[in-house]
Amino acid sequence: MAKQKKQKRKPGVCIPWEEKMKELPKITGDKELVKTVWENIDALGYVYIWQCLLSF
Amino acid sequence: MAKDMEKLYAQRLKRYVTAMRNGKPDMIPIRLFVAEFTAKYAGYTCQEVTHDFEKAFAAARKCAADFDWDAVVGNMVYVWTGLTQAIGTKYYAAPGIDISPDIGFQYLEPPEEQAFMKPDEYDQLIEDPTGYLFNVWLPRISSDVAEMGQPTSFRNNLSFLKGGMAMLNYFNGFGKQAELLRTESGTVSAISGILKAPFDIIADKLRGYLGLMTDVMERPDKVLEACEALVPHLTHVALSGADPDKNVPIGFWMHRGCVPFFSHEHFNKYYWPTLKPIIEAIWAQGHQVLFYAEGDWNAHLNSFAELPDGAIVFHVDQADIFEAHKLIGHKFCISGGIPNFLLSYGTPEQVRQYCKKVIDGVAGDGGYIMDASAIVQNDAKVENIRAMTEFTREYGVY
């Protein structure tokens, strides 16, 4: 398989944390917690659209 | 869970997994892909099991409790029209709504000129598959989702809310169903996770079969790039739904990428080079893939034989199961091969004779799982399914 072109969104991601982070004020607490929760919930959006395509 | 049920579950899991690893278990495992048959057996209509997934779950559990099967799918009907209606999906004919309540749901492929993806949109798909699906594809396949740039609506907003919550509710139901299958009847949930080949999914849900036929002639490079762009996503989705215990395989549903729908040249250029790395990546994580080779895929057995030993379970539908066993049986477990027409129109004695022929020809050294050729729908006779089950239990002991 040929080398793939870089895609705008990685697998498992709809809105990357790096993009979301720019919208937030400076995080004074646990930044990693905010990142993890964002990514976990964002992944549900990814599941939704790919399952629509593949399963339903 | 009662101790005897836990013991039965452990026996069945060991039997099923041993066969899938191409080994010889104590007896031939039975794993039926029973879909609308479960409705018929449990006294439901196709509409009831398609539209009410709790009834579908109950019907699958009733079959699992009454037949001596090692493994089943929690709901092989799978498409839940409650969910597809919430999304506003246009491409299903639902039993009891669009078609008779006693006919299984149908997939409606649009005419080529109304394909959900237009021929000049390959670059959008390649650059950002997830964005393309949300922004372009979903509004086209849904009667409720508004196109990008168009005014939103109450129906648009509700589609995402209801669709998302319904999907989560349904998927959570499968976990509970697996536990009930285990505790009520000692039955293993046969598969976990989903995979489709990049080339197949472009034909199925994006360009349509006819559209893709045109594209491989008119824009072959774009087709290949699109297949390649889908590889990491389809791998990710498959792995995200895989069995964490690495016992049961990921279900891989094969559609129209084979000869004679496409040529050997097309298979070798598009289908296989973009499927093989997915299977290899999944196998590298320790998961098997069940090739549900719907139709006849024997023209491509030599390609499948390139995969590592044990990486797949090869399910035979209408192909020659004896040829499949001869060419790849030394590497992979084989399943299926009992013709559905026989289960529908034959007699129990004819079913027993055919099962004997398959067992004698394929199962001698283990590495075989008894199943019908294709998903069992409500045309199959109960007495034939019973004959298939009982004969395999009597004759299939090693």
Side-chain angles (χ1 to χ4, degrees):
Chain A
M1 201 170 75
K3 193 179 177 191
Q4 289 170 24
K5 287 180 183 172
K6 193 176 179 199
Q7 291 180 6
K8 196 172 172 183
R9 268 176 267 265
K10 292 178 183 173
V13 177
C14 293
I15 301 172
W17 166 246
E18 293 72 24
E19 185 180 326
K20 179 63 186 173
M21 194 172 56
K22 291 174 188 167
E23 302 169 7
L24 300 175
K26 182 177 171 57
I27 297 173
T28 55
D30 186 341
K31 186 177 170 184
E32 196 57 33
L33 176 65
V34 183
K35 175 178 184 284
T36 302
V37 171
W38 174 264
E39 289 180 339
N40 288 346
I41 302 301
D42 183 74
L44 295 176
Y46 182 88
V47 167
Y48 182 76
I49 195 63
W50 284 93
Q51 288 292 341
C52 283
L53 180 74
L54 294 171
S55 300
F56 305 106
Chain B
M1 187 183 346
K3 276 186 182 173
D4 55 344
M5 207 55 80
E6 177 60 21
K7 188 177 171 188
L8 180 62
Y9 177 84
Q11 282 175 346
R12 285 172 166 170
L13 180 64
K14 184 179 179 186
R15 183 178 300 143
Y16 182 46
V17 172
T18 300
M20 289 194 294
R21 306 295 189 263
N22 216 17
K24 188 188 279 190
D26 59 337
M27 61 181 76
I28 294 170
I30 304 171
R31 178 225 60 216
L32 289 189
F33 282 145
V34 277
E36 284 82 0
F37 174 81
T38 63
K40 175 181 182 173
Y41 184 76
Y44 296 125
T45 63
C46 290
Q47 179 187 8
E48 285 177 289
V49 293
T50 314
H51 215 62
D52 181 347
F53 71 76
E54 292 294 358
K55 285 184 176 171
F57 284 157
R61 292 202 305 276
K62 178 167 177 54
C63 286
D66 290 0
F67 291 90
D68 186 6
W69 298 335
D70 296 290
V72 296
V73 176
N75 177 16
M76 195 65 241
V77 177
Y78 204 75
V79 167
W80 170 36
T81 47
L83 170 59
T84 60
Q85 280 196 323
I87 297 167
T89 312
K90 293 175 182 171
Y91 47 65
Y92 287 119
I97 300 173
D98 308 295
I99 52 178
S100 160
D102 287 318
I103 295 176
F105 74 87
Q106 307 287 312
Y107 175 70
L108 307 171
E109 185 156 305
E112 185 178 356
E113 62 277 10
Q114 294 170 28
F116 299 124
M117 174 182 160
K118 306 301 175 198
D120 60 356
E121 292 173 349
Y122 272 96
D123 284 337
Q124 288 182 66
L125 176 70
I126 292 162
E127 185 190 350
D128 182 13
T130 304
Y132 180 84
L133 292 175
F134 264 122
N135 298 336
V136 183
W137 178 78
L138 189 59
R140 287 191 186 140
I141 64 104
S142 168
S143 55
D144 291 350
V145 176
E147 286 182 37
M148 293 292 281
Q150 297 300 309
T152 189
S153 66
F154 183 66
R155 299 282 293 246
N156 171 83
N157 299 346
L158 270 184
S159 167
F160 288 101
L161 180 64
K162 288 167 59 180
M165 293 187 78
M167 190 183 287
L168 202 59
N169 189 21
Y170 186 41
F171 284 169
N172 285 339
F174 271 93
K176 184 181 164 198
Q177 171 75 342
E179 188 59 25
L180 288 173
L181 282 167
R182 178 174 180 159
T183 54
E184 288 180 0
S185 62
T187 310
V188 177
S189 289
I191 53 174
S192 183
I194 186 166
L195 174 65
K196 286 179 182 166
F199 193 69
D200 265 344
I201 201 66
I202 292 173
D204 286 355
K205 295 279 187 74
L206 294 162
R207 292 287 296 126
Y209 171 68
L210 294 176
L212 186 57
M213 273 287 234
T214 304
D215 295 343
V216 296
M217 307 307 290
E218 295 186 357
R219 47 193 74 82
D221 294 344
K222 294 297 178 191
V223 173
L224 185 57
E225 273 191 72
C227 288
E228 290 171 345
L230 293 173
V231 167
H233 296 279
L234 299 180
T235 308
H236 181 91
V237 173
L239 284 170
S240 66
D243 174 13
D245 294 330
K246 304 185 178 181
N247 284 319
V248 304
I250 295 166
F252 168 44
W253 310 97
M254 302 158 75
H255 291 163
R256 294 171 291 187
C258 59
V259 168
F261 291 104
F262 284 90
S263 68
H264 275 285
E265 182 190 345
H266 292 142
F267 177 88
N268 292 328
K269 180 174 181 179
Y270 304 104
Y271 195 96
W272 188 234
T274 55
L275 171 65
K276 188 180 176 186
I278 297 178
I279 306 299
E280 289 173 335
I282 290 171
W283 181 238
Q285 300 289 318
H287 297 280
Q288 283 188 300
V289 175
L290 188 147
F291 277 42
Y292 182 80
E294 191 169 13
D296 182 348
W297 289 76
N298 273 15
H300 309 293
L301 291 174
N302 287 333
S303 295
F304 304 145
E306 295 169 10
L307 294 168
D309 289 5
I312 68 169
V313 174
F314 191 76
H315 180 86
V316 177
D317 177 12
Q318 293 176 36
D320 181 339
I321 195 168
F322 306 103
E323 182 188 29
H325 176 253
K326 186 178 171 187
L327 289 178
I328 62 172
H330 61 293
K331 291 177 70 85
F332 312 121
C333 171
I334 306 284
S335 70
I338 309 301
N340 289 68
F341 73 85
L342 199 58
L343 297 171
S344 300
Y345 300 107
T347 64
E349 183 51 31
Q350 288 172 321
V351 170
R352 280 191 283 270
Q353 285 173 11
Y354 205 95
C355 289
K356 181 176 186 303
K357 183 179 160 187
V358 170
I359 290 172
D360 287 345
V362 174
D365 296 322
Y368 174 72
I369 296 168
M370 175 57 71
D371 193 359
S373 294
I375 286 168
V376 184
Q377 299 189 299
N378 56 339
D379 54 335
K381 292 179 187 168
V382 173
E383 61 264 35
N384 286 345
I385 297 295
R386 191 169 285 126
M388 181 183 181
T389 305
E390 291 175 354
F391 179 80
T392 305
R393 280 293 181 250
E394 292 159 13
Y395 191 69
V397 178
Y398 289 110

